[in-house]
Amino acid sequence: QVQLRESGGGLVQEGGSLRLSCATSGGIFSASAMGWYRQTPGKQREWVATIASSDNTNYADSVKGRFTISRDNAKNTVYLQMNNLKPDDTAVYYCNRNYRSSTYWGQGTQVTVSS
């Protein structure tokens, strides 16, 4: 059974940094594409970044140059380093894993950026 658990969220001032982690279990992590999404109340979940099993990365324009997604296959963990945070980055951040034609989600971690 594939499971995901995010951590690392919190309250930070504008311009600050946070690093989110997503630990996974089940299946073959190295064969999985991983992603980060975020959601604010009343809005659809928004794609933030993905990293393929090949380590190829892609970012939403809104975070490009500020956020970095990475993975550690030995630890079955994906990270999201978030720098120069803005109030508009405030959201619940969700980890996403695509494995063998199925998609799995974590429970989310809250990130709040104060101005």
Side-chain angles (χ1 to χ4, degrees):
Q1 181 180 0
V2 174
Q3 294 183 325
L4 298 85
R5 176 170 293 182
E6 302 96 336
S7 61
L11 174 64
V12 63
Q13 288 190 330
E14 184 173 7
S17 298
L18 283 174
R19 188 177 83 153
L20 305 183
S21 300
C22 174
T24 76
S25 60
I28 302 174
F29 177 74
S30 61
S32 303
M34 301 296 299
W36 287 96
Y37 288 70
R38 63 189 183 187
Q39 189 171 23
T40 55
K43 293 188 177 181
Q44 288 190 333
R45 195 166 292 187
E46 172 191 27
W47 169 69
V48 174
T50 53
I51 184 166
S53 56
S54 63
D55 284 345
N56 186 46
T57 58
N58 284 286
Y59 298 92
D61 287 343
S62 59
V63 307
K64 200 171 295 183
R66 300 188 298 122
F67 290 11
T68 302
I69 188 171
S70 61
R71 64 192 297 158
D72 185 336
N73 289 340
K75 295 183 178 180
N76 289 358
T77 300
V78 63
Y79 304 97
L80 186 68
Q81 178 66 44
M82 305 186 294
N83 298 328
N84 191 21
L85 282 161
K86 305 175 181 180
D88 283 350
D89 295 318
T90 295
V92 177
Y93 283 71
Y94 295 91
C95 179
N96 163 283
R97 178 176 174 185
N98 291 293
Y99 177 63
R100 291 186 176 176
S101 301
S102 294
T103 300
Y104 304 90
W105 294 91
Q107 83 289 347
T109 186
Q110 176 71 47
V111 172
T112 303
V113 184
S114 63
S115 57

